Amino acid sequence: MIRSIILSSDRRRFLFGTLSAVALAFAASAVSAQTTLLNVSYDPTRELYQAFNAAFVKDWQQKTGQKLTIQQSHGGAGSQARAVIDGLEADVVTLALAYDIDAIAERGLLSCDWQARLPNNSSPYTSTIVFLVRKGNPKGIKDWNDLVKPGIKIITPNPKTSGGARWNYLAAWGYALKQPGGDETKARDFVTQIYRNVPVLDSGARGSTTTFVQRGIGDVFLSWENEAFLAINELGKDKFEIVVPSLSILAEPPVTVVDKVADKKGTRAVAEAYLKYWYTPEAQEIAARNYYRPRLAEVQARHAEQFPTVKLFTIDEVFGGWAKAQPTHFAEGGVFDQIYKPAR
Amino acid sequence: MTTARLTWRQPSVIPGFGITLGVTVTWLSLIVLIPLAGLFLKSATLGWGKFFEAITSPRVLAALEISFGIALAAATVNAVFGLIVAWVLVRYDFPGRRVVDAIVDIPFALPTAVAGIALTALYAENGWIGGLLEPLGIRVSFTPLGIFVALIFIGLPFVVRTVQPVLEDLEPEIEEAAASLGATRRQTFLRVILPTLFPALATGYALAFSRAVGEYGSVIFIAGNMPLVSEIAPLLIVIRLNEFAYAEATAIAVAMLIASFALLLAINLLQRWARSRGRG
């Protein structure tokens, strides 16, 4: 008898506790719903957005008095885009390539002309593809054509699973195309030879960094410029050096507001302000300090030493944009798949 | 034997058959059947022609061959060595036995990505073990051999933990009786011990195999992921998802599911056949 009374009072307390916890959670979400932004981004932007978010929150509070919380989500660009398509309520997406945002737009979550909504193809910061080699550059790798020499081992992730790897692939293709007498056939041969020298295809950029840096595999690592800087500064300047090729691709990681989500949550104004803030000198300075190339000329001038001038071509001028490059090269049965045709 | 079957059909002394069966069906539907049905429905949107195309391209066939071939090989190795480990743990007493017993469970508990990274580091050309194998011309990390090693690692506890309890129930007196009736050691093992252990061993084999076929986390780090050489089927599913080709991804998943189901059914039938032979 006594036992059952104790039990029931326990249960009552438990029930009360649960209910109040639930009520609290609801209250908290109701309050924060007005001032929380979710930014869904890709892997190597962790440090970049940490710094950028802190600066924007401060700026926004000064201008409007509103306190803002920005949540970040990072992961492979493709799976992040899928998460948004499948219902992750991102106010803004900041991904590795336009194709992933196009895929979200195709499903009606945002307007198809999104890339024209902000200056510079909606890419407030850029990067490019450079080579990371071992200290002293023992294999003497100076440019793309050194990569196809026999016995060179190249580390690059799988273009089918990594956005960064797609930029690598397109950079190599563009280089071959722009050589004297270069055409599609030669470019295809060149890229095929490059992938013949690739011993491991990791699924993501960070995995490839580990393979090259920790496992000591490969002579050269094709990398985002910002990742290469990060690897050197984190792992020691005495082990690796950056080689900048004569020609590379302008990698433009785009940003945009997810219309459906922002309108539903009533966050459009702040989401748009958040992305526009990228184009201010302060934010551009943050990009440069995190090894992304800034767009503003004055900030570029200040960091000229850090970012050597490379001849860069864009995906639009060589490939006609992602909408064309993706199906031709990376779709099932595309050019990349044909490189790995079975011999039998 | 007939009595055993009859008692199984008799109601238990504990009431509540209806309600427990209801819970079972609801629970299974929620956890297993509904997601599986979703999988089949999504792949059905392809239509037969495209479905067939999606699972018979050379890339997919190669990946399925790699996944199933290596998973079967790894499960076989695990069956042999798992049996030995279980035997040692049950039949001999030695200092540190409990520690060894606990170590067996580590592959269960370790996040598979951690296992994959650790194995890759060990077996890479500059790793502890890989460094020793390199002069012999043996490469493990970033080759199909690496997949094999990873699948052995994650599958080991399944065999040990299924065989162990049966072995504990198998009294040494039975072996002594066999010996006193004139059986040789070989005969005792083949005719007395192995038939008793076989059903448990088959279960362990099936579990280790099905775990290995679907394994992604650990394999992805050690495999090297070269198309047609060391690209596993689950990776191909992820690749299809990254192309936003959901239906094609589910098609590969359905193909894997059907193949796994057929193999598990075969193992089950073998088990039943062995059990009936053991009793008869």
Side-chain angles (χ1 to χ4, degrees), chain A residues 77-79 81-83 85-86 99-100 103-104 107 153 158 160-162 166 195 198-203 207 210-211 213-217 326 330-332 336-337 340-344, chain B residues 53-54 57-62 65 116-118 120-122 124-127 139 141-142 216 220-221 223-228 230-231 235-236 238-246 248:
Chain A
S79 52
R82 252 183 294 126
I85 289 170
D86 294 341
Y99 173 71
D100 287 322
I104 301 173
R107 275 125 185 115
K153 280 192 188 158
N158 192 338
K160 307 281 273 190
T161 47
S162 154
R166 272 174 238 171
Y195 279 93
V198 175
V200 182
L201 283 173
D202 284 293
S203 54
T210 316
T211 301
V213 170
Q214 316 277 14
R215 312 273 169 269
I217 291 186
Q326 175 75 26
F330 307 117
E332 194 192 345
F336 179 75
D337 275 353
Y340 288 101
K341 256 210 171 122
R344 19 180 168 143
Chain B
E53 226 171 80
S57 79
R59 276 283 280 286
V60 177
L61 286 180
E65 200 182 309
I117 292 170
T120 313
L122 269 181
E125 286 162 41
N126 62 356
R139 294 240 170 105
S141 280
F142 312 120
Y216 180 76
I220 227 62
F221 291 97
N225 308 325
M226 299 305 287
L228 305 167
S230 54
E231 186 176 64
L235 173 65
L236 216 52
V238 173
I239 287 177
R240 290 287 173 272
L241 285 177
N242 273 338
E243 290 162 357
F244 303 101
Y246 287 43
E248 282 83 355

Side-chain angles (χ1 to χ4, degrees), chain A residues 149-171:
Chain A
K149 285 181 181 160
I152 299 286
K153 280 192 188 158
I154 307 164
I155 302 299
T156 173
N158 192 338
K160 307 281 273 190
T161 47
S162 154
R166 272 174 238 171
W167 290 113
N168 293 348
Y169 170 104
L170 295 175

Side-chain angles (χ1 to χ4, degrees), chain B residues 91-112:
Chain B
R91 281 303 162 87
Y92 305 110
D93 207 2
F94 53 93
R97 190 175 65 99
R98 278 169 186 276
V99 178
V100 175
D101 198 34
I103 285 174
V104 170
D105 282 332
I106 285 180
F108 272 150
L110 202 65
T112 51

Side-chain angles (χ1 to χ4, degrees), chain A residues 140-156:
Chain A
I141 292 158
K142 299 225 166 53
D143 207 348
W144 289 100
N145 52 7
D146 293 318
L147 299 184
V148 296
K149 285 181 181 160
I152 299 286
K153 280 192 188 158
I154 307 164
I155 302 299
T156 173

Side-chain angles (χ1 to χ4, degrees), chain B residues 192-213:
Chain B
V192 178
I193 299 172
L194 208 55
T196 321
L197 290 182
F198 184 80
L201 199 58
T203 305
Y205 182 86
L207 286 174
F209 163 74
S210 29
R211 176 80 172 76
V213 150

